[in-house]
C-alpha cells in the first residue's frame, strides 16, 4: 500500500511460518506474556442468583 510492496503467500506457507514462531516463543503474538493464574476463572453466584465471573 502506498510506497510499500505487497507480498502474498499460500495458506500452507503462512501456517508453517506461524507455527514456527509459536513453537519458538508461545507468547510471540501476545502484547505481554500470560501466567498460569491468568487462565484460572472462578464462577460464583451473586445475591440475586446471577453468574459472577472473576479472574
Amino acid at each position: 500500500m502506498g510506497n510499500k510492496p505487497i507480498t502474498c503467500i499460500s495458506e500452507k506457507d503462512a501456517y508453517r511460518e506461524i507455527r514456527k514462531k509459536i513453537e519458538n516463543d508461545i507468547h510471540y503474538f501476545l502484547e505481554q506474556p500470560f501466567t498460569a493464574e491468568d487462565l484460572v476463572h472462578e464462577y460464583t453466584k451473586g445475591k440475586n442468583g446471577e453468574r459472577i465471573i472473576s479472574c
Side-chain angles (χ1 to χ4, degrees):
M1 309 309 267
N3 292 331
K4 304 292 181 185
I6 297 175
T7 303
C8 295
I9 61 174
S10 70
E11 179 183 352
K12 184 177 178 180
D13 290 339
Y15 179 83
R16 184 186 66 241
E17 293 304 315
I18 291 168
R19 184 175 174 155
K20 277 198 275 184
K21 292 291 187 187
I22 292 174
E23 285 175 349
N24 290 332
D25 178 10
I26 192 69
H27 304 288
Y28 183 80
F29 289 104
L30 302 177
E31 186 174 333
Q32 54 186 345
F34 63 90
T35 65
E37 292 79 30
D38 294 329
L39 302 176
V40 176
H41 296 279
E42 293 182 19
Y43 299 96
T44 58
K45 299 262 183 190
K47 63 181 179 179
N48 298 317
E50 72 276 16
R51 189 173 182 185
I52 300 174
I53 302 170
S54 59
C55 297

